[in-house]
Amino acid sequence: MIRIFIAEDQTILRDALTSLIHLETDMNVIGQARTGKEVLASPIIQEVDVLLMDIEMPEGTGLETAAKLKDIGFNGKIALLTTFSRAGYIESAMRIGVNGYLLKDEAIEDLVDGIRRVYRGDTVISQALHQQLFQLQHNPLTEREQQLLSSILIGKTTEMMAKEHFLSIGTVRNYLSTAMQKLQTTNRFEAAQKANEKGWLTT
């Protein structure tokens, strides 16, 4: 019996997945969570064979939670379940060592087949994402550049970013200028939006 844990912040979808998986004779959902924080705090997490986890959750995204689980020695398999097919997400998932990247709008037959394959040790990426996988672009941004561009998306000023990261205003401007050159944009707002669209601001 494959022991599955579902982490998904949308209650209706989480319950629907649980009901559908329970119809399978070789699978059992042994736990649920709404946030990344709840996943990490679950007392049964180390008993899980396959963690089916949404990539966009509050209090810790699927990518962030997967990375933390790897750090603490989680022994199960991790499959990200998402409606997002950004190349940067796939790149980050592969770098972390996630075992599956599955789309929510797949047929349930394809989803449960993906879970079985992940459980057996395969790396599974939804068929719809294969073209993106072949065209995968490497994230050119440094961690600091990602942090500053993320700050722009939530409306922080240069002065605020300098104070938060203990940098001079000139250093912040230099980081942003470099990021703009890498992304081939004419201003910092376009750079932040382009990086976000590619999924390069998720880690």
Side-chain angles (χ1 to χ4, degrees):
M1 186 69 70
I2 305 173
R3 297 168 297 181
I4 298 171
F5 192 106
I6 298 178
E8 162 63 57
D9 63 310
Q10 297 182 41
T11 302
I12 294 176
L13 179 56
R14 187 175 67 248
D15 290 346
L17 285 171
T18 299
S19 297
L20 290 169
I21 288 173
H22 275 158
L23 295 175
E24 304 298 318
T25 58
D26 60 339
M27 297 180 182
N28 185 35
V29 177
I30 65 170
Q32 298 182 356
R34 298 176 297 106
T35 69
K37 184 178 180 179
E38 288 182 5
V39 172
L40 296 171
S42 172
I44 64 168
I45 196 62
Q46 290 293 0
E47 302 172 19
V48 173
D49 294 318
V50 178
L51 171 59
L52 193 61
M53 184 161 53
D54 185 18
I55 203 169
E56 290 286 337
M57 296 188 297
E59 298 183 338
T61 67
L63 289 171
E64 293 167 344
T65 304
K68 290 178 180 177
L69 286 170
K70 293 288 185 179
D71 288 341
I72 64 175
F74 176 65
N75 293 317
K77 302 293 195 296
I78 300 174
L80 294 179
L81 182 63
T82 181
T83 56
F84 295 88
S85 56
R86 296 173 182 170
Y89 282 166
I90 304 174
E91 180 187 14
S92 296
M94 293 175 65
R95 186 172 63 249
I96 292 168
V98 166
N99 308 95
Y101 195 101
L102 310 174
L103 293 180
K104 291 180 181 180
D105 53 2
E106 292 186 296
I108 187 63
E109 294 83 2
D110 294 332
L111 177 61
V112 295
D113 177 65
I115 292 172
R116 291 188 182 101
R117 290 170 58 199
V118 165
Y119 175 69
R120 292 196 300 263
D122 296 340
T123 298
V124 181
I125 297 178
S126 289
Q127 187 68 34
L129 300 177
H130 283 187
Q131 186 63 29
Q132 284 200 41
L133 184 61
F134 286 119
Q135 296 176 345
L136 200 60
Q137 290 179 276
H138 173 68
N139 186 349
L141 301 170
T142 65
E143 182 177 355
R144 179 68 77 191
E145 290 163 356
Q146 293 178 52
Q147 291 171 344
L148 297 178
L149 290 175
S150 294
S151 295
I152 288 172
L153 286 178
I154 58 176
K156 291 187 177 180
T157 64
T158 302
E159 291 75 12
M160 293 167 66
M161 289 185 280
K163 184 176 180 180
E164 179 180 347
H165 297 286
F166 303 101
L167 301 170
S168 70
I169 291 176
T171 299
V172 170
R173 287 174 176 160
N174 287 339
Y175 275 122
L176 293 174
S177 177
T178 300
M180 288 161 51
Q181 292 175 18
K182 290 178 179 179
L183 297 170
Q184 298 180 335
T185 58
T186 57
N187 63 64
R188 62 180 64 183
F189 303 104
E190 288 180 4
Q193 290 173 346
K194 183 174 182 178
N196 188 51
E197 289 169 0
K198 288 183 173 292
W200 288 342
L201 303 182
T202 61
T203 57

